[in-house]
Amino acid sequence: FDPGVVEAVLEHAYTCAFKFDDAAAALGLAHRYEMSSLVALCAQQMLEGVTAENVAKLASTMNICLEHEEVAKVWPEFLKIIGQDPSLIEAVTRQVKARHA
């Protein structure tokens, strides 16, 4: 994990604050160490920041952590956000295609 991610996760562990722009990167670490409050925070932050540039990364990260209750709670809303925006559907589809080419 990136040192900035580790620092942000540790800060959350000690202060319950979370000041990190890449919630997708922090989600993996929070999930690994079963930090449910941070998993929920990251998942919610990811929902609020879906763009064509990051939708594939967010989908992949959430999918990896989908067995976590807090991620599973927001997954339907994430799919709804993507489904309502043709540019997001195209972006995530192009990323999947690019990874398998």
Side-chain angles (χ1 to χ4, degrees):
F1 290 96
D2 179 89
V5 174
V6 174
E7 184 177 331
V9 169
L10 286 173
E11 181 177 348
H12 177 78
Y14 288 104
T15 67
C16 293
F18 184 66
K19 302 173 202 146
F20 195 67
D21 292 333
D22 192 354
L27 178 63
L29 192 58
H31 179 260
R32 175 179 282 180
Y33 290 102
E34 300 179 13
M35 301 172 75
S36 289
S37 65
L38 184 54
V39 169
L41 190 62
C42 289
Q44 189 59 46
Q45 189 175 350
M46 289 166 67
L47 271 185
E48 295 167 3
V50 181
T51 67
E53 291 76 30
N54 71 10
V55 67
K57 177 182 177 181
L58 299 183
S60 178
T61 303
M62 286 182 134
N63 193 38
I64 290 168
C65 301
L66 199 52
E67 76 274 0
H68 194 286
E69 177 183 358
E70 297 299 331
V71 177
K73 284 181 188 177
V74 300
W75 182 252
E77 182 64 22
F78 180 70
L79 295 177
K80 183 178 176 184
I81 290 168
I82 294 171
Q84 292 176 342
D85 187 335
S87 68
L88 294 177
I89 294 170
E90 181 176 354
V92 77
T93 304
R94 287 187 180 274
Q95 287 297 313
V96 169
K97 181 181 176 185
R99 288 184 182 163
H100 293 285

